[in-house]
Amino acid sequence: MNNGNGNKIANKFVVPIGPQHPALKEPEHFEFTVDGETVIDATARLGYAHRGIEKTAESRTFVQTLYMMERVCGICSHVHATAFSLCVEKLAEVEAPPRAQAIRVLVAELERIHSHLLWLGVGAHEAGFDALFMYSWRDREVVMDILEALTGNRVNYSANVLGGVKCDVTDAIRDQILTGIDYLEERTHHYYDVVTTDAAFLQRTRGVGTMTKEQAMRLGVVGPTARGSGVEQDLRVDAPYAAYDIFRVNRVVEQGGDLEARFIVRVKELFESYRIIREVLDNLPEGELTARMPRRIKEGEAITRVEAPRGELFYYVRSNGTDMPDRVKVRTPTIPNMASVLHLAIGHQLADVPMILAGIDPCFSCNDRSVRLKSAGGDDVWTWEKLRKYGIDYYND
Amino acid sequence: MSLEERITEARARLEPLVESIEQPAPDRIDATIPADKLLDVASALIKDGWSYLTTITGLDLGVEAGEMAFLYHFSAGALLVTLRVHVPRSEPIIPSVCGIIPTATLYERELMEMFGVTITGTPNTERLFLPEDWPAGVYPLRKDFDPSQPEIVVQKDAAE
């Protein structure tokens, strides 16, 4: 990419976006090269929230690392802890009891509901549909309350311990979950109608950011982003972990490949999560919650892949026989999906960029985002709010 | 495709190109290959969209072993195929796979800044995660990195 005075090449301009913006788990910096309104090149700079977690893990015990890994992501913390626990359990040759595995699935699906509802709201907000944003976030509180009742925390639930889980399902919590799920299922039918029939909303999603199945496979995208392009990939189905071999998931795949398809996949996955949660509660195995874990973990390496709300989450753990991991490698689903944004944005209007970014469901934090638009007439600083409004106004005119 | 069929297919794709294939876990296949064979073997694995590159794990095996290892993980349904490339720690050089897997650029940029490996032919050598003012020649994921002694850099306002 160009820098300094090299920004202006004929009629092409580089539009830097970020790093302070709320659209992503990590604040990120993008540079979109535009020719008029059309994006012709895109590049990213990550790392503004790099905390050195992989290195830190090398000087923490396995137990300490578990709680640290839960903090990689504030939205999908449970899958991180699950993936790490499964790796360490493989290395120690210990298997968590069936009841613990079922509760892991239960919390994972509750987490998926909260994550997908959160994303639905943010996606709607970026499209200028704030009523949908407020309704979906209001409803999300139902599942947050359930998570708090079950685990004690709204976020970073720490449901996992090495060798099992630490929270149990009592009759009172069971009733609360079932009541909440019934309410959410009814609401989700409404959301499904909205995202598939609302003309103003479809204008922002149908045919936008289209990715063919071939592109999706070549770019290696994962999760709902891949399934929206017809890629049959869901690790809960392909390689069942925890108790997904007992509580079978039906894969949700759409062929559209555009933003609309990604909305439909995620909303349909909500129905699937409701069904799995009911099934887990009806068939919860009796027994212990934890298996005994050694403090020192046998030498070796283990790899686990789990299906986070955003797609394949990869964990590699290597032990050297002590009580501390020798190496922990994490690959979150946003990274390959982010790579797809850089390809998909090309050829689109700048006004579509917020929606394409939101479409992969990057983790959202709550900071403001600033966009700096460099033009021949000098620098003009745009806030994320201004770019969002620009996108909405662009389509209103 | 079942896991057994995946394993058969992976072996069929790997056997003409690699010397030994290991199976460290029921759902994993590992092959250790020299760096100059990486592109050929990776091409065979991703051919016709059979698998995709999940990520590249870098390992510093320590000063005593004098080696680094780079693990290319390919996902194919339930199966995970790992290509292991070992290079000397004193002169770590691996070829870029971006020519056949364009999205690998993000993983390669991470390896370069974290391990100080030279990746020949990679399209972008800019830093991805580390700050611009991170001292040159300091690679945090190497085992001899001393986290208590990073060079202290005074952050200056960019406008000055």
Side-chain angles (χ1 to χ4, degrees):
Chain A
M1 294 301 294
N2 303 290
N3 50 31
N5 296 330
N7 272 332
K8 186 167 178 284
I9 326 161
N11 292 317
K12 303 180 185 83
F13 300 100
V14 177
V15 183
I17 300 181
Q20 273 77 18
H21 58 67
L24 308 155
K25 169 177 62 182
E26 300 139 322
E28 291 189 7
H29 175 73
F30 294 94
E31 285 182 2
F32 290 98
T33 309
V34 293
D35 182 0
E37 283 292 327
T38 312
V39 177
I40 55 169
D41 194 15
T43 182
R45 173 77 164 77
L46 318 179
Y48 294 93
H50 194 262
R51 292 153 287 173
I53 285 182
E54 288 184 14
K55 187 69 184 177
T56 316
E58 295 174 12
S59 54
R60 300 286 187 281
T61 65
F62 282 96
V63 176
Q64 290 172 320
T65 304
L66 172 71
Y67 293 101
M68 192 167 59
M69 287 306 163
E70 186 138 12
R71 278 145 185 86
V72 169
C73 175
I75 298 174
C76 50
S77 58
H78 175 73
V79 280
H80 280 269
T82 305
F84 182 75
S85 303
L86 290 171
C87 271
V88 179
E89 285 159 17
K90 273 184 204 173
L91 283 169
E93 292 166 15
V94 170
E95 205 164 319
R99 189 175 177 88
Q101 301 283 25
I103 291 174
R104 280 176 178 173
V105 167
L106 176 69
V107 179
E109 293 308 317
L110 288 168
E111 179 177 74
R112 197 178 312 277
I113 293 169
H114 116 68
S115 177
H116 279 12
L117 283 175
L118 179 136
W119 172 81
L120 178 67
V122 175
H125 174 68
E126 301 304 350
F129 194 170
D130 276 346
L132 179 58
F133 158 58
M134 288 171 192
Y135 277 124
S136 63
W137 278 43
R138 179 196 69 183
D139 294 339
R140 176 174 163 266
E141 284 305 307
V142 174
V143 74
M144 300 307 281
D145 288 344
I146 291 173
L147 282 164
E148 186 177 2
L150 180 61
T151 67
N153 287 315
R154 277 168 60 90
V155 290
N156 293 343
Y157 337 102
S158 296
N160 279 296
V161 292
L162 297 177
V165 293
K166 71 175 187 199
C167 57
D168 203 357
V169 180
T170 62
D171 286 344
I173 289 168
R174 186 176 180 278
D175 292 343
Q176 186 186 348
I177 296 174
L178 289 173
T179 313
I181 295 302
D182 286 345
Y183 167 77
L184 287 174
E185 187 162 38
E186 190 192 319
R187 293 294 303 164
T188 308
H189 281 292
H190 170 64
Y191 296 140
Y192 185 76
D193 287 345
V194 172
V195 302
T196 51
T197 56
D198 186 277
F201 193 65
L202 285 175
Q203 194 190 11
R204 299 300 306 277
T205 58
R206 188 167 284 174
V208 176
T210 307
M211 178 164 51
T212 63
K213 187 175 179 179
E214 288 68 35
Q215 277 177 317
M217 287 167 75
R218 191 171 55 85
L219 293 171
V221 295
V222 293
T225 311
R227 292 194 286 277
S229 290
V231 180
E232 298 203 350
Q233 179 214 71
D234 185 333
L235 287 163
R236 294 175 295 168
V237 182
D238 303 334
Y241 53 93
Y244 283 112
D245 52 346
I246 301 165
F247 307 105
R248 304 300 293 199
V249 178
N250 297 316
R251 195 165 29 209
V252 178
V253 178
E254 286 290 319
Q255 304 299 329
D258 55 0
L259 277 171
E260 188 194 1
R262 281 168 232 161
F263 270 91
I264 293 174
V265 164
R266 289 194 179 90
V267 174
K268 282 188 176 170
E269 282 186 3
L270 286 172
F271 293 119
E272 194 58 18
S273 292
Y274 303 145
R275 187 186 65 74
I276 296 163
I277 287 169
R278 289 199 187 100
E279 209 171 293
V280 171
L281 289 175
D282 286 346
N283 302 292
L284 200 58
E286 293 297 326
E288 296 292 312
L289 289 179
T290 53
R292 194 171 162 73
M293 283 289 285
R295 196 168 61 85
R296 292 174 189 280
I297 304 297
K298 277 181 203 166
E299 207 175 314
E301 59 172 34
I303 297 175
T304 302
R305 293 179 297 147
V306 298
E307 189 73 19
R310 287 160 194 76
E312 177 195 45
L313 171 70
F314 172 98
Y315 261 75
Y316 169 95
V317 178
R318 181 182 161 94
S319 173
N320 52 13
T322 65
D323 59 352
M324 292 186 199
D326 186 52
R327 174 92 169 94
V328 179
K329 161 81 187 170
V330 187
R331 202 282 268 121
T332 60
T334 296
I335 291 188
N337 289 343
M338 188 55 61
S340 79
V341 168
L342 301 179
H343 283 76
L344 288 182
I346 294 170
H348 271 90
Q349 306 288 301
L350 187 61
D352 287 326
V353 166
M355 280 299 277
I356 294 176
L357 261 176
I360 64 159
D361 189 12
C363 293
F364 282 69
S365 65
C366 304
N367 297 315
D368 200 2
R369 166 145 86 173
S370 77
V371 177
R372 174 173 290 196
L373 184 72
K374 284 187 181 166
S375 65
D379 288 357
D380 181 15
V381 177
W382 281 26
T383 59
W384 173 257
E385 189 52 38
K386 193 173 170 189
L387 179 67
R388 186 180 79 86
K389 192 170 178 305
Y390 171 76
I392 295 164
D393 291 345
Y394 181 88
Y395 277 96
N396 282 341
D397 291 340
Chain B
M1 201 186 273
S2 73
L3 182 61
E4 288 69 34
E5 288 167 324
R6 296 255 180 208
I7 291 171
T8 313
E9 177 69 24
R11 284 184 179 277
R13 283 172 187 250
L14 289 172
E15 262 157 12
L17 296 163
V18 305
E19 281 169 19
S20 70
I21 297 171
E22 286 167 46
Q23 198 165 353
D27 56 353
R28 281 177 56 198
I29 279 198
D30 277 21
T32 305
I33 54 168
D36 55 7
K37 270 192 170 178
L38 176 63
L39 285 178
D40 290 344
V41 185
S43 303
L45 287 176
I46 60 164
K47 194 164 170 259
D48 306 322
W50 183 74
S51 69
Y52 64 90
L53 180 69
T54 296
T55 191
I56 311 170
T57 301
L59 292 178
D60 182 1
L61 300 175
V63 180
E64 277 175 33
E67 265 192 333
M68 285 194 197
F70 296 98
L71 278 46
Y72 293 73
H73 306 285
F74 293 86
S75 295
L79 180 68
L80 190 78
V81 182
T82 302
L83 303 179
R84 314 177 79 99
V85 177
H86 288 251
V87 293
R89 211 171 170 278
S90 54
E91 205 183 4
I93 302 173
I94 50 173
S96 169
V97 293
C98 288
I100 50 172
I101 308 165
T103 48
T105 174
L106 294 179
Y107 306 130
E108 292 188 349
R109 282 166 71 186
E110 182 183 0
L111 289 182
M112 285 185 283
E113 63 184 359
M114 295 294 175
F115 290 94
V117 57
T118 305
I119 302 184
T120 49
T122 193
N124 188 341
T125 55
E126 282 175 38
R127 285 195 174 137
L128 182 68
F129 289 118
L130 293 179
E132 300 298 344
D133 52 8
W134 185 266
V138 177
Y139 304 112
L141 282 179
R142 285 197 181 191
K143 286 292 177 194
D144 51 1
F145 169 73
D146 179 3
S148 66
Q149 293 292 323
E151 189 186 324
I152 295 169
V153 180
V154 180
Q155 189 88 40
K156 284 187 182 159
D157 190 73
E160 280 174 21

